[in-house]
Amino acid sequence: MSRYVMGIDVGGTNLRCAVIDGSNDIVDRQSVRSHADQGMDVLLSNLLSLINDVRKSHDLSAVGIGIPGIIDSSSGVVTAAPNIANVKDYPLRRVLSDRLGGGVEIVIENDANAIAVGEWWKGAGKSVDSLVLLAIGTGLGGGIILGGELWNGADGMAGEIGHTTVYPDGVLCNCGNYGCLETCASSVAIRRMVSDGLKDENIVTSLRGLTTQAHKEEIPYIAMKAAEGGDKFALAIWVSMGRALGIAVASLVNMLNMEMVVIGGGVSNAWDLFIDSLKTEARKRAFPAPMSRLEIKKIILGDDAGILGTAYLARKKLNELKS
Amino acid sequence: MSRYVMGIDVGGTNLRCAVIDGSNDIVDRQSVRSHADQGMDVLLSNLLSLINDVRKSHDLSAVGIGIPGIIDSSSGVVTAAPNIANVKDYPLRRVLSDRLGGGVEIVIENDANAIAVGEWWKGAGKSVDSLVLLAIGTGLGGGIILGGELWNGADGMAGEIGHTTVYPDGVLCNCGNYGCLETCASSVAIRRMVSDGLKDENIVTSLRGLTTQAHKEEIPYIAMKAAEGGDKFALAIWVSMGRALGIAVASLVNMLNMEMVVIGGGVSNAWDLFIDSLKTEARKRAFPAPMSRLEIKKIILGDDAGILGTAYLARKKLNELKS
């Protein structure tokens, strides 16, 4: 059996991958277009090309694939994925296995779960056995490591911390629930808070002018810059996000007594604007003993976290099959 | 090494214990007064008497002890326990080990964690690998079994589901947080909802007369009977408790994707009055796939759950030491 294992991150735009050798060092990287917005057939064809291309130079034993969405990792089925057009209950592991032929193990995992594994394996959580990962981007993805293992639940669907309720009578979430953490802490949440606030003509803020011509994707960045420049309305938005995160972190601490929270995702670049309110709120609410031992860290592997995480899971699957 | 292991439940009133043999069958039971309200010295002396008494007839290898409160099970320290007068950071495992001499392993665990283990081992959760236990009594205790193991966290303090926030701006909890699940689902919560409601003179309810002379401990039972008799105000209280539980269960499902919720504790006797609103609320909020597979069951071992759970944990500790 070869020593080479590949991890792939399926983004809306790119498929990024890394190949690791038997010493778990990265020996190859590639990035190609995913065209996931053209549906699963196109994505599948691009995945196969990428994997077959890598196989020309490396004798792969296993491939791990991280996908944003609801993934049944126990059966390797993509239940739903916002970036892949029209996908529903697609048995990706089976289809890929059939098309690749024998000898390559496939692991499919939710992207945030993969990031949690990567950060625990080689990143911010290297020294701990338990952590919760919050990936704050368009939405809020989560991953839970307990006792040095990814906890992905009975159907591989665990870790959806973005869809735990923070404000029961809060804003309607994409998932159908009200007041999910994601509705308070994500780029979608920041945009909503900006646009709701601007409806009130009494609010004085630089965002009124700055956002008029802006593309909606730019608004969280503009809100970050405005807050850094002292705009009180913009600052309050980040404090409000920190408060919601703090409420969720306190509940997690009381429930899981984990050692660390690792925070990543594009929105986490506004770290200094929300971290104090997050900590203040969590300390007010959590039991003192488990809270005092909690470390809260930034993700350190960046874009490599998910790729390394899926590679780790693929390697682990191989080892389990061997034993 | 002997085959006998003992499990003890430390209640405010009684110490109840069972001895299990190598086949894990109960071969002896005892119940003595705990006098925990007289403080740790008295409780310790009663624990030692009970254990030494049992040792006369059974060669004990290990003792598991379940205690309501904040227990650092990794170090065997009772951090805080509401039923034991003036206890704070008491190293119960070390003291008991010293006083009992060698040859008897001691395991200290939170009582609800012990119930979770017992119900998973021999009760409602026998067929599953993951469950969340909610013990709804004076407060709301919780325990989490994942992958066939108690998850008790980095300091042995995990499982405090009663102290996860349901309503961030809700009622002040004993723990210092606002809007904990325990403030909405416990006998304390039922009493508060009754007394708050009765302050409104426009509310017509049989509870106004029924509770005037009642001892406060009786009020949840009176509220149950009134609701069963069709009293709308009383019914609404149980529905409100069910709603809060449903919000928490939905978050747990999205986060942990566990197979089962097991509900016990005295307040759970009002099952038919809150279970529908619990399920309705949880289904509205949780992802459909992990929610549809969730079973919600009543505890089935009753008072034996905690004793068997601690006995199991004591046996497990022995096996770990042997291996």
Side-chain angles (χ1 to χ4, degrees):
Chain A
M1 200 171 280
S2 87
R3 299 161 306 150
Y4 294 105
V5 168
M6 182 179 182
I8 306 178
D9 178 72
V10 176
T13 310
N14 292 313
L15 296 178
R16 293 177 309 99
C17 81
V19 179
I20 59 170
D21 65 11
S23 310
N24 296 321
D25 291 323
I26 293 176
V27 293
D28 197 0
R29 286 175 185 278
Q30 292 199 36
S31 178
V32 298
R33 305 293 278 183
S34 67
H35 294 299
D37 57 340
Q38 294 177 32
M40 192 44 109
D41 289 346
V42 175
L43 173 62
L44 179 70
S45 148
N46 292 331
L47 274 170
L48 284 166
S49 295
L50 177 66
I51 296 169
N52 283 322
D53 192 45
V54 166
R55 283 171 103 183
K56 286 177 195 157
S57 27
H58 303 285
D59 184 16
L60 289 180
S61 303
V63 177
I65 303 174
I67 302 180
I70 303 176
I71 311 298
D72 180 339
S73 60
S74 55
S75 60
V77 168
V78 180
T79 306
N83 295 332
I84 309 172
N86 304 317
V87 71
K88 190 173 185 307
D89 298 329
Y90 187 87
L92 182 61
R93 186 171 73 198
R94 188 172 57 70
V95 174
L96 273 176
S97 289
D98 289 351
R99 299 283 289 273
L100 289 168
V104 181
E105 282 303 319
I106 310 282
V107 172
I108 316 277
E109 192 49 83
N110 168 273
D111 63 333
N113 281 354
I115 294 170
V117 172
E119 286 290 325
W120 164 78
W121 187 34
K122 284 177 177 283
K126 221 171 144 172
S127 63
V128 300
D129 282 329
S130 54
L131 64 81
V132 168
L133 176 281
L134 304 176
I136 316 176
T138 311
L140 193 149
I144 302 172
I145 306 282
L146 299 176
E149 301 266 358
L150 174 66
W151 174 253
N152 58 10
D155 309 289
M157 291 181 183
E160 292 291 351
I161 295 158
H163 299 285
T164 58
T165 302
V166 176
Y167 296 109
D169 301 311
V171 173
L172 178 64
C173 182
N174 284 330
C175 75
N177 184 19
Y178 288 84
C180 282
L181 179 59
E182 180 169 298
T183 68
C184 317
S186 63
S187 66
V188 169
I190 299 294
R191 293 205 299 261
R192 180 186 45 76
M193 287 188 270
V194 169
S195 102
D196 283 359
L198 293 182
K199 284 176 196 150
D200 180 348
E201 290 175 8
N202 296 317
I203 289 176
V204 179
T205 168
S206 61
L207 289 178
R208 204 175 289 284
L210 292 170
T211 59
T212 320
Q213 302 290 323
H215 188 277
K216 68 173 187 173
E217 304 292 341
E218 300 169 322
I219 289 175
Y221 181 80
I222 296 170
M224 179 176 84
K225 287 293 160 192
E228 285 169 358
D231 185 293
K232 282 187 183 155
F233 167 70
L235 273 167
I237 285 173
W238 294 102
V239 166
S240 152
M241 179 175 110
R243 179 175 188 242
L245 287 166
I247 294 168
V249 165
S251 291
L252 285 162
V253 164
N254 285 358
M255 190 182 301
L256 298 178
N257 182 201
M258 67 287 182
E259 292 155 90
M260 189 180 284
V261 170
V262 182
I263 302 178
V267 177
S268 71
N269 290 326
W271 187 267
D272 291 340
L273 299 171
F274 68 79
I275 193 65
D276 288 346
S277 62
L278 187 165
K279 287 183 178 169
T280 303
E281 193 71 25
R283 284 185 193 129
K284 270 199 318 207
R285 293 180 180 273
F287 283 128
M291 185 66 210
S292 67
R293 72 120 68 226
L294 184 79
E295 293 183 84
I296 302 178
K297 288 194 175 180
K298 273 188 206 180
I299 194 173
I300 63 177
L301 298 175
D303 286 345
D304 278 353
I307 302 176
L308 287 169
T310 53
Y312 175 90
L313 292 171
R315 169 87 71 207
K316 183 162 175 277
K317 176 85 174 286
L318 273 185
N319 291 339
E320 284 166 5
L321 291 171
K322 270 194 268 182
S323 68
Chain B
M1 198 171 282
S2 87
R3 299 161 306 148
Y4 294 106
V5 167
M6 182 179 182
I8 305 178
D9 178 74
V10 176
T13 311
N14 292 313
L15 296 178
R16 293 177 310 101
C17 80
V19 179
I20 59 170
D21 65 10
S23 312
N24 296 322
D25 291 322
I26 294 177
V27 293
D28 198 359
R29 285 175 186 278
Q30 293 200 37
S31 179
V32 298
R33 306 292 279 181
S34 67
H35 294 299
D37 57 340
Q38 294 177 34
M40 191 44 106
D41 289 346
V42 174
L43 174 62
L44 179 70
S45 146
N46 291 331
L47 273 170
L48 285 166
S49 296
L50 176 65
I51 296 169
N52 283 324
D53 192 45
V54 165
R55 283 171 104 183
K56 287 178 197 158
S57 28
H58 303 286
D59 184 16
L60 288 180
S61 303
V63 177
I65 303 173
I67 301 179
I70 302 176
I71 311 299
D72 180 339
S73 59
S74 55
S75 60
V77 168
V78 180
T79 307
N83 295 331
I84 308 171
N86 303 319
V87 71
K88 192 172 183 306
D89 299 328
Y90 187 87
L92 182 60
R93 187 172 71 198
R94 188 173 56 70
V95 174
L96 273 177
S97 290
D98 289 350
R99 298 283 289 272
L100 288 168
V104 181
E105 282 304 319
I106 309 283
V107 172
I108 316 278
E109 190 49 82
N110 168 273
D111 63 334
N113 281 354
I115 295 171
V117 171
E119 286 289 325
W120 164 78
W121 187 35
K122 285 178 176 281
K126 221 172 146 173
S127 62
V128 301
D129 282 330
S130 54
L131 63 81
V132 169
L133 178 278
L134 304 176
I136 316 176
T138 310
L140 192 149
I144 301 172
I145 305 284
L146 299 176
E149 301 266 357
L150 175 66
W151 175 254
N152 58 9
D155 310 288
M157 291 182 182
E160 292 290 352
I161 295 158
H163 299 284
T164 58
T165 302
V166 177
Y167 296 109
D169 300 312
V171 173
L172 178 63
C173 183
N174 283 331
C175 75
N177 184 20
Y178 288 84
C180 283
L181 180 58
E182 179 168 299
T183 67
C184 316
S186 64
S187 66
V188 169
I190 298 293
R191 293 205 299 260
R192 181 186 45 76
M193 287 189 270
V194 169
S195 99
D196 284 358
L198 293 182
K199 284 176 197 152
D200 179 349
E201 289 175 6
N202 297 315
I203 288 176
V204 179
T205 168
S206 61
L207 289 178
R208 204 175 289 285
L210 292 170
T211 59
T212 321
Q213 302 291 325
H215 190 275
K216 69 174 186 173
E217 304 291 340
E218 300 169 321
I219 288 176
Y221 181 81
I222 296 170
M224 180 176 83
K225 288 294 163 195
E228 286 170 355
D231 185 294
K232 282 185 184 157
F233 167 71
L235 272 166
I237 285 174
W238 294 102
V239 166
S240 153
M241 179 175 111
R243 180 175 187 240
L245 288 166
I247 294 168
V249 165
S251 291
L252 285 162
V253 163
N254 285 358
M255 190 182 298
L256 299 178
N257 182 199
M258 68 286 182
E259 293 155 271
M260 191 180 283
V261 169
V262 181
I263 303 178
V267 176
S268 71
N269 290 327
W271 187 267
D272 291 340
L273 298 171
F274 68 79
I275 193 65
D276 288 345
S277 63
L278 186 167
K279 287 183 178 170
T280 303
E281 194 71 24
R283 285 186 193 128
K284 272 199 318 208
R285 292 181 180 272
F287 283 128
M291 186 65 210
S292 67
R293 73 119 67 227
L294 184 78
E295 292 182 84
I296 303 178
K297 288 193 175 180
K298 272 188 206 178
I299 195 173
I300 63 178
L301 297 175
D303 286 346
D304 278 354
I307 302 177
L308 286 169
T310 52
Y312 174 91
L313 292 170
R315 169 87 71 209
K316 183 162 175 277
K317 175 88 173 287
L318 273 186
N319 291 339
E320 285 166 6
L321 292 171
K322 270 194 270 184
S323 67

